[in-house]
Amino acid sequence: MNTVIVGAQWGDEGKGKIIDILAQTADYVVRYQGGSNAGHTVVTNGHEFIFHLIPSGILHKGKICCIGNGVTIDPAALLEEIERLAKAKIGVARRLKISCLAHVIMPYHKVLDELREAKRTHKIGTTRRGIGPCYSDKINRCGIRMIDLLNAKVLRNKLKDNLLEKNEIFKKVYQYPGFVFEALYRDYLQYGRKLSSYICNTALVINRAVEAKKKILFEGAQGTFLDIDFGTYPYVTSSSAISGGSCIGTGVAPVKIDKVVGVAKAYTTRVGEGPFPTEFGAAFGKLIREKGAEFGATTGRPRRCGWIDLLMLKEAILLNGISELALTKLDVLDGLKTINLAVAYRYKGTLLKEFPQDSEALWKAKPVYKQMQGWSKTISDTKDYAQLPPRARDYVSYLEDALKTEISIISVGSSREKTIYR
Ligand code: IMP
């Protein structure tokens, strides 16, 4: 069984925890896009682990974790993650596989990310991890790939060519001094040496595992509405976060994917700029942010919070082929008198029932809410669906009916144990 896990909103849906749970019965966990802009937090046995690049499945003994060709890798960040795991006595030797085709994030990508954001009037609010500039180089055919770090001559030629053009741009457009070849060349050759035992043809590794009927989990980063094509462009990330990205980002054919599980929060959050029709007002937003600890795992930025949006979820189900949902952070809604769910938008006098493609509509649309009664009980110790307060069950059932999709997992707290299976 090969399953893709995707975020159904703007990222931070709690995929890390769901992947951690599903990884228990998987053989391989594979990342297919994004880079160290992602941040999964997993709490296990009182330890908190934050992953940016390595699939969180690495916490389970014997699981093979792959970083696919669709991921952009900051080698320094990756080495740091490996070292942190080593300190917690979690070894990755022979279990971590890095695609030789994955593109490398260079210091000039990070600096360019910063400088472009600073210059923009309409900021995207990127994580400043160099993601956009690195994917741009990939498409521009001047990117440096992991395999290049293992070949001094190739690295030298590519880096020289890149700096020739980029240093001019840095100086002339951004009044930034640029980068010195020798220092970068030396550092990146060294990264290559340190990571060489992990770098391989992951497409071959994963496809062989598929042939051997191993169970594979494809771990999406970010979320559907941050997808470069289908997200709220230009307020998106630079990769294909939807389930289709799992094929391009790993070299596994679409016919080999059996199932897509979507992860959605019981409300909605977004970090960075961009339209957000169901966003709460400042005071209520602060309350939910604090209750839900809604601060970015990568940048620590406060997340914007809002009600759940069924137009978004329907669109996510369609785009990803989601057949099952995991609903996270239901406990954060404990104690609310009423809960709103956006079921349509009103825009220029018309009622929209589909998520609009027109960005102006998204900025200006007013959500039409269905209001449901909240529950007063604390649900974070609930193990069984039947023990949830009736109004919490009503909320879940309403979502299932409206979305025509089963909610198979409900998360009521950050640790593995705080999960209801149905
Ligand atoms: P970038 O991916 O750093 O270029 O950032 C582009 C947009 O995606 C910004 O709004 C970021 O806040 C958002 N973003 C990137 N990665 C994540 C993530 O893992 N969770 C939530 N938002 C993200």
Side-chain angles (χ1 to χ4, degrees):
M1 178 67 95
N2 302 319
T3 307
V4 184
I5 314 291
V6 280
Q9 294 152 325
W10 276 296
D12 306 319
E13 297 90 350
K15 293 180 295 294
K17 173 177 166 175
I18 304 302
I19 288 159
D20 177 58
I21 289 169
L22 298 179
Q24 296 176 60
T25 53
D27 301 300
Y28 286 68
V29 186
V30 184
R31 254 296 283 279
Y32 60 83
Q33 44 71 236
S36 42
N37 49 349
H40 286 341
T41 310
V42 179
V43 182
T44 165
N45 302 329
H47 268 85
E48 187 181 88
F49 292 93
I50 299 180
F51 294 100
H52 298 290
L53 283 160
I54 301 179
S56 48
I58 204 80
L59 296 177
H60 297 279
K61 262 197 184 144
K63 311 289 172 188
I64 311 278
C65 290
C66 302
I67 300 179
N69 54 280
V71 179
T72 47
I73 299 176
D74 179 344
L78 178 56
L79 283 163
E80 212 182 294
E81 235 166 89
I82 295 172
E83 272 163 33
R84 248 186 287 125
L85 282 166
K87 273 193 193 139
K89 306 251 177 308
I90 297 165
V92 300
R94 286 184 297 278
R95 291 205 297 133
L96 176 65
K97 315 267 177 204
I98 302 168
S99 170
C100 54
L101 305 184
H103 280 247
V104 181
I105 295 195
M106 306 294 289
Y108 47 77
H109 292 137
K110 291 199 249 184
V111 171
L112 187 59
D113 202 359
E114 288 267 357
L115 294 171
R116 292 193 74 197
E117 273 289 275
K119 241 187 193 317
R120 279 188 188 113
T121 347
H122 300 291
K123 300 197 188 307
I124 292 170
T126 74
T127 60
R128 293 159 200 246
R129 297 296 188 272
I131 306 296
C134 182
Y135 279 113
S136 302
D137 277 4
K138 173 176 177 174
I139 301 299
N140 275 331
R141 293 161 293 180
C142 63
I144 292 173
R145 308 205 280 192
M146 290 305 287
I147 198 165
D148 302 332
L149 304 186
L150 306 181
N151 185 324
K153 198 168 139 213
V154 172
L155 180 65
R156 180 188 302 119
N157 290 341
K158 280 195 162 186
L159 192 55
K160 281 219 150 132
D161 252 8
N162 265 293
L163 290 185
L164 211 60
E165 184 198 18
K166 290 184 195 300
N167 278 344
E168 288 269 304
I169 297 173
F170 275 118
K171 282 179 198 143
K172 291 190 178 147
V173 179
Y174 299 100
Q175 288 76 53
Y176 184 88
F179 292 84
V180 180
F181 168 81
E182 280 75 20
L184 281 191
Y185 178 62
R186 190 194 51 225
D187 288 353
Y188 278 73
L189 267 186
Q190 200 177 10
Y191 293 145
R193 273 194 290 273
K194 286 188 179 164
L195 291 169
S196 63
S197 63
Y198 309 111
I199 300 172
C200 61
N201 179 348
T202 47
L204 196 67
V205 170
I206 305 165
N207 276 294
R208 287 212 171 123
V210 170
E211 272 166 35
K213 304 264 181 279
K214 299 285 182 198
K215 278 191 179 173
I216 308 194
L217 265 189
F218 294 89
E219 167 178 338
Q222 289 84 44
T224 302
F225 295 90
L226 288 175
D227 181 272
I228 185 73
D229 287 280
F230 295 101
T232 47
Y233 193 90
Y235 304 97
V236 294
T237 191
S238 298
S239 63
S240 300
I242 62 165
S243 60
S246 65
C247 296
I248 303 161
T250 62
V252 172
V255 289
K256 303 282 165 62
I257 306 292
D258 300 300
K259 187 163 94 168
V260 181
V261 176
V263 185
K265 222 178 259 189
Y267 47 101
T268 311
T269 62
R270 130 163 252 179
V271 210
E273 305 304 319
F276 186 170
T278 65
E279 187 167 12
F280 297 140
F284 192 56
K286 184 169 183 281
L287 187 113
I288 295 293
R289 182 179 312 122
E290 276 162 14
K291 209 166 159 202
E294 296 293 356
F295 296 90
T298 300
T299 57
R301 288 181 292 175
R303 294 177 187 145
R304 299 157 65 193
C305 302
W307 295 116
I308 200 161
D309 186 333
L310 271 63
L311 283 80
M312 285 178 75
L313 294 182
K314 279 182 191 164
E315 180 84 353
I317 288 166
L318 179 128
L319 292 170
N320 292 296
I322 292 170
S323 59
E324 248 175 73
L325 279 168
L327 187 69
T328 60
K329 292 193 150 184
L330 187 62
D331 55 302
V332 177
L333 301 183
D334 287 356
L336 297 184
K337 264 208 171 75
T338 52
I339 298 170
N340 287 346
L341 307 88
V343 290
Y345 296 155
R346 204 171 287 287
Y347 175 61
K348 286 190 174 167
T350 52
L351 199 65
L352 305 179
K353 295 206 167 162
E354 311 289 342
F355 190 75
Q357 306 272 295
D358 170 8
S359 70
E360 189 159 322
L362 260 187
W363 277 110
K364 296 195 173 150
K366 295 275 172 273
V368 176
Y369 288 116
K370 176 186 167 59
Q371 197 163 68
M372 294 186 78
Q373 300 282 302
W375 55 92
S376 51
K377 215 179 117 187
T378 305
I379 62 168
S380 58
D381 288 324
T382 312
K383 298 264 182 291
D384 200 352
Y385 186 65
Q387 284 164 5
L388 277 178
R391 284 172 182 168
R393 274 185 276 138
D394 288 348
Y395 185 66
V396 174
S397 302
Y398 181 84
L399 287 174
E400 285 187 316
D401 290 345
L403 300 170
K404 299 188 182 68
T405 307
E406 181 197 354
I407 295 175
S408 53
I409 297 175
I410 300 169
S411 168
V412 290
S414 56
S415 62
R416 271 182 201 161
E417 304 73 50
K418 296 198 182 281
T419 312
I420 299 170
Y421 302 94
R422 296 174 70 206

